[in-house]
């Protein structure tokens, strides 16, 4: 493929977080970028403001008249159904089609790519890493979330050969990448609709880390034992790791930890974002940056000025009488990490959690774990399950999940009812949790709470 001969890039599913980063990338290169998405969103609104035309209906074969086959690439998300009319039309006429991961693979092959993988933490870790590198030696980054520092999921530096990408295990997309270095944050069971069982998932991660260049490196969480051909550097909090964090504390409005790495101890490292899980993400970032030649002062400065990712422990309201945090957590492990951080920050405050389960299959596979995680809040509201790409599964509902939760103050409500209940509640900390479209209630809930 020669990108120089490509005039037009058409995106099927342009409103996805990863797809929109690629759309912005090609737009900055001066390519004509056009896209389809199922529904309007804040992301599609932003892309349209950047002069990218988007439509929201399946045009089927009629779409072909808009594009010259010899100078067009079609990029599509694996979430698009195989029987989608436009996709079938492009396939039948022999257009060049690539999955999003294939294009990211092309980019990492033609740069010094750093792939961040793991069932949890890859978006925050990759965004944090991109920020520290951007502030120090420069990098390009294709992110799976909107960076608060840059109000974008794309960071570009034409003078840098470094690229940071998320290595997504869904649909085995990460096997399309050819990174120089990498991070592996976690390997908890997830996406069992794709992998069937955890052993298959582990084998997928092992295949991925063995795609890292033998002369490269892998930052791997100390709890993970997987072989790779490249240099491995372990990291973790209070573990015997090559990059080890300890003495985490919250003082005068800031998080601190001490770090032992490269036979040195860095005292009082300031973290710009709260949470135990973010401290571990920072350790991975430190390890990568040291391998790439970033010095201690540059790393410290980058970590202290990192402001997080939209929908990852995002403060919507932070006032003495009311705190409202929105978080993307959609797996029991992520919910546990979120609530542990909340209890550390607000040990004496009552917490109301509004959770929208994401996928029928994930709810089925982890129903007992979800029940255990969610009963940690003082009041719980469940929204109906967000189906995404799935059809309903008999017996798998939010009501069925609610029945398993040992809690007296619990209910299943519509989004509108949840907003009203949260506004009436005497809980001082409000959480919206989930990966579906729960973000649509964030602004109306904020308006009811202020």
């Amino acid at each position: 493929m020669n990108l120089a001969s490509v005039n037009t890039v058409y995106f099927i599913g342009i409103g996805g977080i990863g797809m929109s980063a690629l759309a912005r990338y090609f737009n900055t290169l001066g390519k004509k970028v056009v896209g389809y998405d199922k529904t309007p969103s804040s992301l599609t609104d932003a892309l349209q403001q950047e002069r990218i035309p988007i439509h929201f209906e399946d045009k089927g074969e009629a779409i072909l008249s808009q594009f010259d086959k010899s100078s067009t690439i079609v990029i599509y998300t694996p979430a698009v159904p195989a029987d989608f009319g436009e996709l079938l039309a492009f396939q039948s006429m022999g257009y060049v089609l690539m999955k999003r991961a294939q294009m990211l693979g092309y980019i990492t092959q033609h740069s010094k790519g750093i792939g961040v993988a793991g069932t949890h933490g890859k978006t925050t870790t990759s965004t944090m890493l991109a920020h520290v590198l951007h502030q120090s030696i420069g990098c390009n980054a294709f992110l799976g979330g909107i960076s608060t520092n840059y109000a974008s999921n794309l960071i570009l530096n034409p003078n840098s050969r470094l690229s940071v990408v998320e290595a997504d295990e869904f649909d085995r997309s990460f096997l399309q990448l050819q990174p120089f270095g990498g991070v592996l944050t976690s390997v908890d069971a997830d996406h069992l609709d794709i992998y069937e069982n955890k052993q298959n998932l582990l084998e997928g991660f092992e295949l991925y880390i063995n795609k890292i260049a033998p002369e490269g490196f892998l930052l791997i969480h100390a709890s993970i034992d997987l072989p790779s051909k490249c240099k491995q550097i372990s990291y973790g909090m209070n573990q015997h790791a090559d990059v080890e964090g300890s003495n985490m504390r919250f003082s005068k409005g800031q998080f601190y930890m001490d770090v032992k790495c490269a036979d040195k101890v860095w005292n009082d490292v300031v973290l710009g974002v709260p949470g135990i899980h973010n401290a571990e993400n920072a350790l991975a970032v430190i390890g990568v940056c040291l391998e790439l030649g970033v010095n201690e002062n540059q790393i410290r400065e980058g970590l202290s000025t990192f402001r997080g990712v939209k929908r990852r422990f995002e403060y919507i309201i932070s006032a003495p009488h009311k705190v409202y945090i929105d978080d993307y957590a959609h797996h029991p492990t992520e919910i546990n990490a979120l609530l542990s951080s909340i209890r550390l920050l607000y040990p004496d405050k009552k917490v109301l959690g509004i959770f929208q389960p994401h996928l029928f299959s994930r709810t089925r596979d982890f129903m007992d774990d979800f029940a255990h995680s969610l009963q940690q809040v003082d009041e719980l509201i469940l929204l109906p399950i967000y189906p995404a790409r799935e059809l309903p599964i008999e017996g798998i509902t939010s009501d069925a999940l609610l029945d398993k939760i040992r809690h007296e103050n619990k209910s299943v409500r519509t989004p509108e009812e949840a907003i009203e209940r949260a506004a009436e509640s005497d809980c001082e900390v409000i959480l919206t949790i989930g990966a579906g479209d729960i973000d649509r209630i964030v602004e109306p809930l904020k308006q009811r709470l202020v």
Side-chain angles (χ1 to χ4, degrees):
M1 181 180 62
N2 180 8
L3 284 181
S5 65
V6 174
N7 295 325
T8 304
V9 188
Y10 183 68
F11 287 84
I12 302 177
I14 195 169
I17 190 69
M19 292 281 280
S20 61
L22 283 174
R24 284 173 162 147
Y25 171 69
F26 284 109
N27 200 36
T28 63
L29 293 183
K31 307 295 184 184
K32 180 182 178 183
V33 177
V34 186
Y36 157 86
D37 209 83
K38 187 176 180 180
T39 55
S41 66
S42 58
L43 262 178
T44 58
D45 290 345
L47 294 176
Q48 288 173 316
Q49 291 170 10
E50 295 165 28
R51 301 182 182 277
I52 296 175
I54 300 174
H55 61 271
F56 301 96
E57 71 281 357
D58 182 357
K59 294 186 176 182
E61 292 183 357
I63 196 69
L64 299 175
S65 63
Q66 299 183 36
F67 304 107
D68 174 37
K69 182 168 70 172
S70 65
S71 61
T72 299
I73 290 179
V74 178
I75 301 177
Y76 66 101
T77 171
V80 170
D83 60 354
F84 181 70
E86 291 185 9
L87 181 63
L88 293 174
F90 284 120
Q91 289 172 336
S92 67
M93 296 305 294
Y95 279 71
V96 176
L97 287 103
M98 301 180 74
K99 287 186 177 182
R100 176 183 62 87
Q102 289 176 294
M103 180 54 71
L104 281 177
Y106 177 86
I107 291 169
T108 58
Q109 287 175 39
H110 292 79
S111 66
K112 192 173 184 179
I114 309 297
V116 180
T119 45
H120 320 298
K122 54 184 173 287
T123 295
T124 302
T125 304
S126 57
T127 308
M128 187 187 297
L129 174 61
H131 173 69
V132 178
L133 292 175
H134 181 71
Q135 296 291 312
S136 55
I137 61 175
C139 76
N140 301 279
F142 301 82
L143 305 171
I146 302 298
S147 164
T148 302
N149 289 84
Y150 307 103
S152 181
N153 51 355
L154 177 69
I155 297 173
L156 291 180
N157 184 329
N159 298 317
S160 176
R161 286 197 64 249
L162 271 176
S163 63
V164 176
V165 301
E166 281 195 31
D168 189 0
E169 73 277 7
F170 173 70
D171 198 36
R172 297 180 171 84
S173 293
F174 54 6
L175 299 183
Q176 303 288 340
L177 304 178
Q178 299 283 341
F180 172 79
V183 176
L184 183 53
T185 64
S186 52
V187 290
D188 290 322
D190 200 5
H191 297 302
L192 299 186
D193 54 325
I194 302 293
Y195 291 94
E196 296 184 353
N197 56 59
K198 185 173 181 179
Q199 183 57 40
N200 290 342
L201 177 70
L202 290 173
E203 289 171 2
F205 276 112
E206 186 174 342
L207 286 171
Y208 166 68
I209 62 177
N210 279 290
K211 295 179 77 67
I212 296 172
E215 68 274 19
F217 60 88
L218 171 68
L219 268 292
I220 186 167
H221 192 273
S223 64
I224 303 171
D225 182 17
L226 287 176
S228 65
K229 300 172 185 175
C230 65
K231 174 184 178 181
Q232 284 200 12
I233 304 157
S234 63
Y235 73 92
M237 289 292 297
N238 302 309
Q239 302 191 46
H240 296 294
D242 299 317
V243 183
E244 182 179 356
S246 62
N247 192 26
M248 186 178 174
R249 57 212 181 269
F250 181 68
S251 175
K252 298 179 181 178
Q254 287 187 309
F255 270 95
Y256 297 84
M257 69 174 169
D258 301 330
V259 178
K260 180 171 69 72
C261 57
D263 297 323
K264 293 183 179 180
V265 175
W266 299 2
N267 292 314
D268 303 322
V269 174
V270 178
L271 302 176
V273 288
I276 300 165
H277 54 299
N278 281 325
E280 292 214 305
N281 296 338
L283 295 173
V285 169
I286 290 169
V288 172
C289 289
L290 289 174
E291 287 296 307
L292 295 174
V294 186
N295 66 45
E296 178 183 344
N297 288 337
Q298 291 172 317
I299 295 171
R300 282 179 176 268
E301 174 67 17
L303 292 177
S304 68
T305 57
F306 178 62
R307 295 295 170 255
V309 186
K310 188 171 178 60
R311 299 219 64 231
R312 270 68 173 185
F313 212 97
E314 181 184 8
Y315 278 91
I316 308 301
I317 298 173
S318 181
H321 67 286
K322 189 70 69 175
V323 172
Y324 172 22
I325 294 169
D326 182 42
D327 196 275
Y328 189 73
H330 56 283
H331 185 282
T333 300
E334 296 168 341
I335 295 170
N336 286 332
L338 168 65
L339 296 179
S340 294
S341 297
I342 291 293
R343 293 304 184 191
L344 179 64
L345 282 167
Y346 307 106
D348 302 319
K349 293 185 182 294
K350 292 175 63 178
V351 178
L352 182 149
I354 305 172
F355 176 60
Q356 180 188 50
H358 184 262
L359 298 179
F360 293 103
S361 60
R362 183 181 284 120
T363 306
R364 174 199 63 200
D365 294 337
F366 303 106
M367 189 169 283
D368 289 339
D369 294 324
F370 275 123
H372 184 265
S373 298
L374 292 166
Q375 65 194 25
Q376 299 176 67
V377 297
D378 297 289
E379 179 177 354
L380 174 67
I381 298 172
L382 296 182
L383 302 183
I385 295 173
Y386 183 78
R389 57 190 178 269
E390 294 184 336
L391 295 173
I393 297 174
E394 185 177 355
I396 305 302
T397 64
S398 290
D399 287 297
L401 173 57
L402 193 77
D403 287 342
K404 286 184 168 285
I405 295 170
R406 296 179 181 177
H407 207 304
E408 292 184 0
N409 203 354
K410 60 180 183 177
S411 59
V412 174
R413 299 174 187 258
T414 66
E416 295 75 19
E417 291 169 343
I419 291 171
E420 292 307 310
R421 173 58 205 151
E424 298 167 358
S425 173
D426 62 352
C427 290
E428 300 105 315
V429 178
I430 308 294
L431 307 175
T432 43
I433 311 166
D437 62 358
I438 191 172
D439 59 315
R440 294 186 179 186
I441 76 170
V442 170
E443 188 58 31
L445 178 53
K446 176 184 176 182
Q447 295 303 320
R448 291 287 283 113
L449 292 174
V450 294

